[in-house]
Every structure is written in C-alpha cells, then in structure tokens.
C-alpha cells in the first residue's frame, strides 16, 4: 500500500494502524520500462498486477502523464482501437463507472481510480468503490468484457448528449441519468452495490447508504435553510 507522506523515506498509516501482511510504501512516483514501480524513497517493486489510484478529485495525474500512460488533450479524439486513456482536465476517458480504466494497453482490471465522482459524499462513495474493487480483484468474473463496459460508457455519454449536455464537459460530475431519479450520488454508490449483490457478494436487501444519509442528501437545501433559521433564533 503506497501512501503520500511528508517524509519520502517512510510511510506510516494514520494512527499507526497497520494491516497484517500489507507492505506500506511512500508515494508511488513512476512506472518504469522494466515493469517495476518506483516509490518516493527510490525503492522499487516488481510483479505488480493491479494499481488503485486514490486520486481524489484530480483529473491531471503526473504519475500517469509523465509516464505516457495518460494523454492530455483539449478534445477527446474519436474512439480508437486501443482506447488510450486521456484527460481534458474535466475527466478521464474511457473510464467505466468513474472507476476502471478501459485502456487496452494493459489487462482489464489493471488500473482503478477511487474518488473521481463529484459532487458526492466522498467517504461513503469511496467505501462503495473500494468494496467493488476488492471483490473484482478476488472474483474476475465480476467484470464483463471490455467491449461490454465500453458500451456502457458510450450509453451514458449518448444519454447525456440527448439531454443537451456535453459528456466531455460533464466529465465525472454526477448528474441524473433518468427523470425523477434520486440523488445521483446515492444512485452511483448503490449501483455498485447492486452489481455486487447480483454476483452474490452483498446481502439481499442491504444498502451501503444509510437512511439518514439518503434523507439528508435529498433534502440538503431544506436542512440548510432550517439550520440558518435555528442560528438566527
């Protein structure tokens, strides 16, 4: 597990809590031509099958751009056979469910992202994303083919276009896909959980988004107004 650290030579998890069997490393800085990954303390590791980048809301990722793994473009080119990963500063493409790179330069499931969607309650969202990634790593059958996932990405972009929105501008901004849809952030999180449930990896009838959180997200402006009134009193 590579974590950013002020001290490039060491990386200690928050509250010094460690997980048995996990090797903690400082920030990941480069992918080397040899196939190894380079860390901030100049140490390397080989045999890396999967990389999960908890990028937060950043769509310009030096680690990838400097290594020629992410093209920086003004406009997204027409889909190419290799579906090279690119960013226009508003989002990454092609990325399925704001989560999985579909670049054909590496095996499906090799590069994941956590924290791209906005606006959203990032804590619970990241938990849902991490759960999905963890199950996908242990159960490769959870992911359909790259072609199927690309079709899902195209379907979302086509829907946005029909609604008069430019997918390249929307990026990873969550917007309702269907009329009268509940909070898109909640729908995104629960959508990942529904996929886990359908594969037998999540209990039937159980949601990851608590009822109070759904209520708060759906009535945010009313709650904000009510709180202002309380403050005045």
């Amino acid at each position: 597990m590579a974590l950013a650290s002020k001290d490039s030579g060491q990386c200690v998890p928050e509250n010094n809590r460690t997980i048995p069997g996990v090797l903690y490393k400082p920030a990941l800085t480069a992918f080397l031509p040899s196939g190894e990954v380079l860390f901030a303390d100049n140490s390397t590791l080989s045999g890396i099958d999967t990389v999960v980048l908890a990028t937060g809301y950043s769509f310009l990722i030096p680690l990838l751009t400097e290594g020629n793994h992410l093209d920086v473009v003004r406009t997204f080119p027409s889909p190419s056979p290799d579906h090279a990963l690119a960013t226009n500063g508003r989002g990454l493409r092609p990325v399925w469910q704001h989560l999985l790179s579909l670049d054909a330069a590496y095996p499906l499931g090799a590069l994941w992202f956590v924290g791209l969607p906005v606006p959203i309650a990032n804590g619970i969202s990241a938990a849902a994303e991490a759960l999905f990634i963890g199950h996908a790593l242990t159960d490769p059958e959870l992911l359909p083919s790259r072609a199927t996932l690309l079709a899902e990405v195209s379907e979302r972009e086509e829907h946005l276009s029909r609604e008069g929105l430019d997918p390249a501008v929307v990026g990873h901004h969550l917007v309702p896909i269907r009329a009268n849809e509940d909070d898109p952030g909640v729908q995104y999180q629960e959508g990942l959980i529904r996929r886990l449930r359908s594969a037998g990896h999540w209990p039937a009838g159980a949601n990851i988004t608590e009822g109070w959180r759904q209520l708060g997200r759906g009535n945010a402006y009313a709650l904000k107004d009510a709180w202002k009134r309380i403050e005045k009193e």
Side-chain angles (χ1 to χ4, degrees):
M1 179 181 293
L3 303 176
S5 173
K6 293 182 180 179
D7 180 356
S8 63
Q10 296 183 357
C11 183
V12 179
E14 186 177 356
N15 299 324
N16 293 320
R17 295 179 179 176
T18 59
I19 302 173
V22 173
L23 174 63
Y24 290 89
K25 303 289 290 183
L28 178 63
T29 57
F31 296 103
L32 302 179
S34 63
E36 296 175 307
V37 293
L38 177 68
F39 297 93
D41 61 354
N42 290 321
S43 64
T44 61
L45 283 177
S46 60
I48 305 298
D49 298 316
T50 302
V51 174
V52 180
L53 296 178
T55 59
Y57 304 138
S58 176
F59 308 139
L60 294 172
I61 307 169
L63 169 67
L64 297 179
T65 54
E66 293 173 5
N68 296 320
H69 298 291
L70 176 65
D71 298 329
V72 180
V73 298
R74 289 185 177 274
T75 59
F76 287 114
S78 299
S80 58
D82 59 357
H83 299 287
L85 189 65
T87 179
N88 66 347
R90 294 178 178 270
L92 305 175
R93 182 182 182 192
V95 172
W96 175 78
Q97 288 291 318
H98 315 283
L99 193 64
L100 173 63
S101 170
L102 298 180
D103 192 325
Y106 34 78
L108 184 65
L111 180 60
W112 299 82
F113 299 92
V114 172
L116 293 180
V118 292
I120 200 168
N122 59 305
I124 192 70
S125 170
E129 291 174 328
L131 282 168
F132 189 91
I133 293 171
H135 284 290
L137 294 180
T138 57
D139 179 12
E141 298 298 320
L142 184 61
L143 291 175
S145 67
R146 192 189 309 268
T148 298
L149 299 179
L150 283 167
E152 287 191 29
V153 172
S154 296
E155 181 181 359
R156 176 180 182 271
E157 293 181 348
E158 290 169 2
H159 177 84
L160 291 172
S161 297
R162 289 194 298 270
E163 294 297 316
L165 300 172
D166 184 348
V169 174
V170 172
H172 298 293
H173 196 95
L174 297 177
V175 297
I177 296 296
R178 300 174 182 82
N180 301 319
E181 185 176 70
D182 293 334
D183 178 84
V186 172
Q187 289 300 310
Y188 170 69
Q189 295 154 193
E190 294 302 333
L192 295 177
I193 296 303
R194 282 194 296 272
R195 292 175 184 271
L196 290 179
R197 186 183 298 119
S198 65
H201 295 305
W202 192 263
N207 296 328
I208 192 172
T209 311
E210 307 94 320
W212 66 264
R213 194 184 297 272
Q214 295 188 45
L215 177 64
R217 294 283 294 181
N219 298 276
Y221 290 107
L223 290 172
K224 181 179 180 180
D225 182 63
W227 185 256
K228 286 184 177 180
R229 293 184 181 184
I230 291 174
E231 288 181 327
K232 289 181 180 180
E233 295 178 358

